[in-house]
């Protein structure tokens, strides 16, 4: 079986902006890979206008995953930079040869995104 393409992004942001930056990157990835019908919209982040969508369920999932990552990074912080990672995988169901004991469908990953997140602490003069 052929391995799916893996795209890796480095996301480096200040603590105050990380949640918004991460949501913007995830929304952009899903916007370009989401195949069902949805109503497109845009979001402004810093000086950029990013594509988005009108899907409450997907937005809620992105918010939950972002919050979980932020909580994990916060709990493990202590150095000048804290790190985390999110993987996004896209699957499709493909038929396979039916046998006596196996299902007739299998999930096959066709694309993977790895987001390596670095949270920077602003330096303060002491």
């Amino acid at each position: 079986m052929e391995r799916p393409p893996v795209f890796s992004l480095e996301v480096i942001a200040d603590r105050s902006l990380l949640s918004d930056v991460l949501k913007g990157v995830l929304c952009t990835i899903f916007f370009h890979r989401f195949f069902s019908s949805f109503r497109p919209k845009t979001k402004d982040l810093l000086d950029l206008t990013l594509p988005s969508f009108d899907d409450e369920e997907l937005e809620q999932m992105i918010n939950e995953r972002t919050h979980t990552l932020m909580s994990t990074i916060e709990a493990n912080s202590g150095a000048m930079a804290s790190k985390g990672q999110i993987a996004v995988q896209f699957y499709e169901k493909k038929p396979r040869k039916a046998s006596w004991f196996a299902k007739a469908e299998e999930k096959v990953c066709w694309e993977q995104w790895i987001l390596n997140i670095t949270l920077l602490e602003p330096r303060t003069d002491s």
Side-chain angles (χ1 to χ4, degrees):
M1 183 181 292
E2 189 175 318
R3 297 192 77 167
V6 177
F7 301 97
S8 182
L9 291 174
E10 298 292 326
V11 178
I12 301 170
D14 181 66
R15 180 177 306 278
S16 62
L17 297 174
L18 182 61
S19 181
D20 290 334
V21 169
L22 195 53
K23 287 177 189 176
V25 170
L26 290 172
C27 284
T28 302
I29 291 170
F30 279 104
F31 179 84
H32 290 286
R33 296 296 180 253
F34 201 47
F35 296 124
S36 65
S37 59
F38 63 90
R39 190 164 169 226
K41 62 181 186 177
T42 60
K43 286 186 179 186
D44 292 326
L45 175 65
L46 302 174
D47 289 334
L48 299 172
T49 300
L50 301 173
S52 189
F53 40 81
D54 192 19
D55 186 306
E56 278 188 39
E57 187 178 331
L58 188 55
E59 267 193 72
Q60 182 179 350
M61 185 208 48
I62 289 172
N63 287 336
E64 288 171 3
R65 298 301 193 275
T66 301
H67 179 72
T68 301
L69 178 73
M70 291 293 294
S71 298
T72 302
I73 289 175
E74 293 283 334
N76 297 324
S77 66
M80 285 298 282
S82 300
K83 297 185 182 243
Q85 188 178 69
I86 289 183
V88 179
Q89 297 176 324
F90 294 97
Y91 288 89
E92 67 178 322
K93 291 182 179 179
K94 285 192 169 185
R96 67 174 161 178
K97 277 187 168 179
S99 68
W100 289 93
F101 303 107
K103 292 183 179 179
E105 288 185 334
E106 66 179 329
K107 284 185 179 180
V108 177
C109 181
W110 56 270
E111 185 173 278
Q112 182 175 358
W113 290 78
I114 305 291
L115 305 179
N116 296 306
I117 295 109
T118 303
L119 176 66
L120 296 178
E121 291 291 335
R123 290 187 177 187
T124 57
D125 294 331
S126 325

